[in-house]
Amino acid sequence: MGVNAMEIRVHIQKVLIFTIKTCYRSACEHPIVLGMLLFLLFLYRFLPFLFFFLVSSSPVIICTAVLLGTLLSLGNPYIPEIIDEEDEQIRKTHHEISSLRNR
């Protein structure tokens, strides 16, 4: 009833294969996340001061990005109207007709 080394090896191998397949599939579906992780690993390995600065200031950066995104998406956009001479003439005649109807 004991567990032998061969069974343990088979279970560990199954877990490793499943993990590698899952990681590969995730990397193929989300290459930007993989790139960001590799960039952070590069910073951690070669520029630890910059990495720790980014990690410590990340809440400020994230909150600023969320607030700017909210303000820009909910703000009133300034879209100037471009009026041609023909459009202006049509508006004047329309305004004159409506003023005559009101009288």
Side-chain angles (χ1 to χ4, degrees), residues 49-61:
F49 176 73
L50 183 60
F51 174 78
F52 290 118
F53 175 73
L54 285 176
V55 168
S56 64
S57 64
S58 63
V60 175
I61 294 171

Side-chain angles (χ1 to χ4, degrees), residues 1-11:
M1 280 294 203
V3 179
N4 61 13
M6 193 61 156
E7 290 178 7
I8 293 174
R9 181 177 173 261
V10 169
H11 287 296

Side-chain angles (χ1 to χ4, degrees), residues 8-23:
I8 293 174
R9 181 177 173 261
V10 169
H11 287 296
I12 290 175
Q13 188 176 9
K14 285 182 182 181
V15 169
L16 282 175
I17 290 173
F18 176 75
T19 304
I20 291 171
K21 283 183 180 181
T22 304
C23 290

Side-chain angles (χ1 to χ4, degrees), residues 67-76:
L67 286 173
L68 277 176
T70 303
L71 289 174
L72 290 175
S73 68
L74 296 178
N76 292 332

Side-chain angles (χ1 to χ4, degrees), residues 26-43:
S26 297
C28 289
E29 292 175 1
H30 308 288
I32 293 176
V33 175
L34 178 66
M36 286 175 41
L37 287 174
L38 289 176
F39 177 72
L40 287 175
L41 182 66
F42 172 79
L43 282 180

